[in-house]
Structure formats: C-alpha cells, structure tokens
Amino acid sequence: MRAEIAGFQSRVTGLEQRMGLVEAQTTMSRDRDQDLIYLRSKVTDMEDRSRRDNIRLHGIPENEEGVDVQSFLRSILPKLTSLDFDPPIEFQRAHRVGPKLPGNSSRPRPIIACLLRHNQTRQILQAARKHGPFQLDQYDIRITADYSKETNDRRKAFLALRPRLRQLEIKYGLFDPARMWVTKNGVSKDFYNPEELQLFLDSFQPQSMDSTSTSDSHDNGGDNEGNLPPGQADNRLSIALPIPTLPSAPDRAIPSTREPREEPDPQSTELS
C-alpha cells in the first residue's frame, strides 16, 4: 500500500512539473506572438514613413506623360491644384506603377511621384482633399497619399463600414495613415483597428439611436473621409475616452506617420 501511494505521489509530481513546463511554454509563445505583432506594426509604420513624400495620381491616360514623367507632372500639378509653388516642384523620382497592362485597357496605371520637399507634398494632398477630383482635358484625376499594403487594407476595411456609420447617424472621419475618428452624442473616439470599430457599431441598436443626431457624412475623394465638427483640424490628435464596451488601445501603439497639429480637445462626455 505504501509503495502504491508513493508511486501515485511520484506520478502527481511528474504531472505537476509537466504542467508547469507547458504553462511556461504557453506564456513564452504568447509573448512571442505579441512581440511579432508589435514588430510587424513597427515595420508597417517605417514603410509608411518612407512613403510620406509620395503622391499617387490616378486617371491619367497611358502615354499622356511622354518620355519625361517629371516634366509632365511639373507642368500639370500647378494647374490642377491652383497652387503657386515657390520654389518650383522638384522630384526625386516619378514613374508608372506596375507593368503595362496588355491590350487597350481602359484603366490606366497610377503614377507615383516622390517629391523633394515634404511641405509641397502636404500642400498638394490638402488641395486634393478640398478640391479633388481634378479635371485634365476630359479625364477625372485623383491625387492620393501613398501607403503600405497593410495600411491600405486597413483603410479599405474602415471605408467598408461607412454605410453602417451613416445608418447609425454617427459622424466619422478617416485620417492618416489609418485612423477612424467617430463621434456620437458629443463623445469622440479613435479606432486604429477595423474589428474594434465593428464591435463598437454592433453595441448599438438602431431603434435606440437619438433621432436628433445629424449624419451629414460625405466622401470627398481625398485622404480624409467623413463629416467633421466645426473648427476641428484635419489631422486630429488621438482622443482616449472611457466609453463602455470599447476595447482599449494597444499598449504599444504605433505613432502616426503624419505630423499632428496642435489643437484643442473637443468637449466630450460618456455615452449613457
């Protein structure tokens, strides 16, 4: 009997040791996954920063630029944007994106251009947000910022939620590089993850919406999307509010790839 008890105790001790080893390995694996997510976000942030002097021009017919893309852009950008560039625009490089499409494709490849001066890049993108799309002969020309694939995918996922935002009468705006700002009943919140925004929208019931809310959200074809409150700058700082049921921001958030401007924080209250 004593031998059997000693055997059971030995087996229990062995199982406890194995469970402790499994728990330690699980913790290490979880930490590695978190580190991997963080490193991926850092790489994406670095890529977006390396692209922040780029602009993309969509809708320019193939071969319209001739053999010198930089000279072509230097001549049309002041006309399209109605900006007087002093000093004149200079480019580090400019070219079409991707291989030429076979046959007579009706969809021209975009032109990507890297400007020498960042302030001129910002001027062009601001003009595109306010006045785009532009007219070149009979063609509609859109000018947008250049983002990494990961950031573009997040922006598309955010934009896919616009019909739901309008249905719930929630004001919204999409800002650089991929940050969705929403406000409801005087409460503002930033989302960096489309899944978190989806959870936030799912927490609302259409019949409980305040009928006095306004939802004049609109799309202007530029970097920023949505209806903004009066006096709100177009590159707002992140706002963290204690809103119930909202997932918290990640502990190691990646800073925006655009330089934020200083601005007063809007007055806000908690959702009831």
Side-chain angles (χ1 to χ4, degrees):
M1 180 67 69
R2 292 180 179 178
E4 292 181 358
I5 294 175
F8 286 137
Q9 289 178 343
S10 176
R11 293 174 62 183
V12 169
T13 302
L15 289 173
E16 290 177 347
Q17 291 176 349
R18 291 179 183 179
M19 289 180 61
L21 180 60
V22 170
E23 289 177 354
Q25 291 176 343
T26 301
T27 301
M28 292 176 59
S29 177
R30 187 182 301 113
D31 292 341
R32 280 196 291 265
D33 289 343
Q34 292 296 326
D35 289 341
L36 181 58
I37 293 173
Y38 176 66
L39 290 175
R40 283 179 176 174
S41 61
K42 289 288 288 184
V43 171
T44 299
D45 179 64
M46 292 173 63
E47 183 176 353
D48 286 331
R49 288 177 182 273
S50 70
R51 293 169 177 256
R52 63 181 181 176
D53 289 329
N54 296 352
I55 59 173
R56 284 180 176 248
L57 295 93
H58 308 264
I60 297 179
E62 294 280 349
N63 303 320
E64 185 77 13
E65 69 277 13
V67 296
D68 191 345
V69 180
Q70 294 189 21
S71 296
F72 172 75
L73 295 180
R74 199 175 293 116
S75 65
I76 68 166
L77 280 174
K79 300 176 183 177
L80 293 177
T81 60
S82 300
L83 295 174
D84 184 17
F85 295 102
D86 184 24
I89 300 179
E90 295 184 69
F91 300 94
Q92 299 185 50
R93 55 193 172 274
H95 56 83
R96 294 272 183 181
V97 178
K100 190 171 183 179
L101 300 177
N104 296 323
S105 176
S106 60
R107 184 178 180 181
R109 296 170 296 164
I111 293 177
I112 184 171
C114 180
L115 280 74
L116 181 62
R117 300 176 182 85
H118 180 64
N119 64 323
Q120 293 180 339
T121 305
R122 297 183 63 181
Q123 289 177 341
I124 293 172
L125 293 176
Q126 288 173 359
R129 286 193 291 267
K130 294 179 180 178
H131 308 298
F134 304 105
Q135 289 290 323
L136 178 65
D137 297 331
Q138 71 271 27
Y139 304 103
D140 289 334
I141 308 300
R142 295 188 303 110
I143 302 177
T144 63
D146 184 38
Y147 303 104
S148 64
K149 181 182 182 302
E150 291 77 7
T151 299
N152 265 325
D153 290 342
R154 285 167 54 207
R155 290 176 65 87
K156 290 178 181 178
F158 275 130
L159 294 177
L161 296 174
R162 288 180 299 180
R164 184 77 187 282
L165 289 164
R166 297 191 188 102
Q167 179 187 9
L168 296 176
E169 298 184 344
I170 298 177
K171 297 180 181 180
Y172 64 89
L174 180 59
F175 300 94
D176 292 340
R179 173 172 63 91
M180 181 67 86
W181 167 89
V182 299
T183 183
K184 178 65 176 176
N185 297 333
V187 180
S188 298
K189 179 70 179 177
D190 285 323
F191 292 92
Y192 296 87
N193 189 317
E195 287 76 13
E196 293 182 0
L197 178 58
Q198 181 67 64
L199 291 175
F200 172 68
L201 297 179
D202 291 342
S203 68
F204 286 98
Q205 297 297 329
Q207 60 268 23
S208 65
M209 291 292 94
D210 184 1
S211 61
T212 61
S213 293
T214 59
S215 58
D216 299 329
S217 300
H218 63 277
D219 305 331
N220 55 20
D223 273 344
N224 295 347
E225 303 281 350
N227 185 21
L228 311 182
Q232 185 80 11
D234 67 348
N235 203 2
R236 282 178 281 265
L237 299 175
S238 176
I239 304 170
L241 296 177
I243 300 178
T245 72
L246 286 181
S248 59
D251 293 336
R252 294 182 288 189
I254 300 303
S256 171
T257 60
R258 305 287 188 247
E259 297 90 342
R261 304 173 192 167
E262 294 184 359
E263 59 177 6
D265 290 333
Q267 185 177 1
S268 60
T269 57
E270 290 190 16
L271 286 172
S272 56

